[in-house]
Amino acid sequence: MNFEKQQYITIKDVLSHARILISYNDARILLQNVLKINHAYIITHPEQDLTPIQIHTFQLLVKRRASGEPVSYILGECEFYSIKFKVTPSVLIPRPETELLVDLALEKISLGMSCEILDLGTGSGAIAITIAKHRALSNVTAADNSADAIAIAKTNSEYLSVNNVHFIKSDWFGELTRKKFDLIISNPPYIALNDPHLNQKDLRFEPELALVAGQDGMDCIQTIISSATSYLNAGGWLLLEHGYNQAKITKQLLKESGFINIFSRSDLAGISRVSGGRYDPPL
Ligand code: GLN
C-alpha cells in the first residue's frame, strides 16, 4: 500500500488496497479495531478520511495478517458464544465449532441446577467461563497444564466478572483437590503428530501443546476417558470435542470405561464433533 501521492485517503481506499494482500473480512475487522468503529459504520461512511497515523497503524496490521498471523492474535481477542475473550499465542483460539460443546453442557444442566463442573485444558477459559456465566448456580473448576493459559483464563474471568469459576494448574486430573463432578467437559488436543494441517493457516501460530496428541491424535482423549470415571458422580456426564474422524473410537473408549447413553453430535458443518456419555458405576 503506497498512499504518498494521494492527499485524502478514505476508508474505501484503504480497504480496497488491503484487499490485494488479505481477505476483505479480515481487512474490515482490522480497520474497525484501528478506528474503533463497528461494521455498520464502515458501510455507512466509506468516504471518511483517515489520519496518517491511522493509515500507518492499519498498514502494520495488514502486513502481520498477510504473513499469516491470526487476526485473533493480532487483536488479542476473539469472540466465542457472543462473548469477547482475550487471547495470546499461549492459548488456542476458540473455534465456532466448540460452541457445540457449550450447547451440550448447557443442555445437561438446567438453569436452576447447582452442579460441579470440570473443564480440562481450559486454555483461554472460553468454555468454562461461558458455562459459568450461563449457569450462575453451578461451580466450575477449570484446569490447564500451562501457567500462561491459567493466567489468561483468570484475566478473562475477572474482566467478565464471572465469580463461579476457579482455575487450577494441573496436568489433566493430576492436581485436582475436588474429587467428584457432575459434568466433565474438554476440548483437548486431538490432532495427529504428522497431520499436515499443523503447517497450515492459524495452526502454525498456536501452541503445539494445545493441538497435538500423539501418533493418532487420541492420546489425550484416551487419558481423559480412562480417568474420568474416578472423578464423576454416578449419573454424571463426560463431553469431549474430537477430530472429524474420531467419533467412533471415542464412543468405543467411552463404552469400554463403563459409560452409558453414549452419543455423538455434529457441528454446523455436519462434522461429528462432540461425543459423550453418562457414568453408570457398577453396583
Ligand atoms: N479444532 C482445532 C482444529 O482442528 C483443533 C483444536 C484441538 O485439537 N482441540 O483446528
Side-chain angles (χ1 to χ4, degrees):
M1 280 183 283
N2 186 350
F3 296 115
E4 269 149 36
K5 291 192 193 77
Q6 268 178 264
Q7 205 176 358
Y8 299 107
I9 297 136
T10 64
I11 285 180
K12 198 170 83 187
D13 293 334
V14 289
L15 283 178
S16 69
H17 279 82
R19 194 58 200 90
I20 300 163
L21 295 170
I22 63 176
S23 76
Y24 173 80
N25 210 37
D26 287 350
R28 172 183 71 71
I29 292 166
L30 295 175
L31 188 60
Q32 280 173 215
N33 189 270
V34 171
L35 302 183
K36 306 277 175 270
I37 53 173
N38 61 22
H39 190 184
Y41 194 94
I42 296 252
I43 295 166
T44 51
H45 296 76
E47 305 300 338
Q48 180 171 311
D49 293 322
L50 272 68
T51 67
I53 290 176
Q54 288 170 334
I55 294 167
H56 180 67
T57 309
F58 179 63
Q59 284 175 322
L60 289 180
L61 300 189
V62 169
K63 218 168 144 187
R64 285 171 65 184
R65 179 63 191 130
S67 75
E69 197 175 341
V71 171
S72 298
Y73 287 158
I74 296 174
L75 301 182
E77 64 183 29
C78 173
E79 198 170 300
F80 178 79
Y81 225 86
S82 303
I83 303 169
K84 260 192 195 148
F85 289 92
K86 294 188 188 304
V87 292
T88 72
S90 297
V91 296
L92 193 80
I93 299 165
R95 311 280 204 269
E97 58 267 30
T98 302
E99 293 183 352
L100 172 64
L101 193 58
V102 173
D103 285 340
L104 291 169
L106 298 181
E107 260 179 41
K108 303 292 174 218
I109 318 152
S110 55
L111 260 178
M113 275 164 82
S114 149
C115 289
E116 288 296 334
I117 302 164
L118 172 64
D119 175 28
L120 290 171
T122 198
S124 65
I127 297 168
I129 293 168
T130 305
I131 293 173
K133 220 171 155 51
H134 283 83
R135 293 294 180 265
L137 297 181
S138 290
N139 287 314
V140 183
T141 301
D144 203 291
N145 201 21
S146 153
D148 288 347
I150 291 292
I152 292 155
K154 266 188 187 160
T155 306
N156 275 321
S157 71
E158 282 158 18
Y159 154 80
L160 292 164
S161 309
V162 177
N163 302 319
N164 54 331
V165 53
H166 75 271
F167 299 93
I168 176 164
K169 185 184 174 309
S170 176
D171 184 8
W172 302 124
F173 298 92
E175 307 298 323
L176 296 185
T177 42
R178 167 172 270 282
K179 290 293 175 216
K180 294 286 177 189
F181 296 88
D182 303 300
L183 172 67
I184 300 176
I185 44 168
S186 183
N187 172 21
Y190 54 70
I191 299 179
L193 198 55
N194 296 319
D195 191 317
H197 291 104
L198 291 167
N199 301 317
Q200 293 167 19
K201 299 190 183 169
D202 290 4
L203 274 69
R204 291 169 295 164
F205 293 81
E206 294 182 294
E208 195 182 311
L209 188 72
L211 294 169
V212 180
Q215 287 301 329
D216 61 356
M218 286 301 294
D219 282 11
C220 300
I221 290 178
Q222 211 156 358
T223 302
I224 294 171
I225 293 178
S226 63
S227 302
T229 50
S230 309
Y231 292 87
L232 277 169
N233 285 321
W237 286 91
L238 173 63
L239 302 175
L240 294 167
E241 178 171 324
H242 51 65
Y244 71 98
N245 56 357
Q246 294 168 337
K248 194 173 163 205
I249 175 77
T250 302
K251 286 196 285 189
Q252 182 61 33
L253 292 170
L254 286 166
K255 194 171 164 211
E256 286 167 9
S257 286
F259 284 85
I260 58 165
N261 303 133
I262 295 165
F263 71 95
S264 292
R265 193 79 74 84
S266 297
D267 62 20
L268 291 174
I271 295 167
S272 193
R273 181 60 67 192
V274 175
S275 294
R278 212 153 64 88
Y279 180 48
D280 185 30
L283 290 174

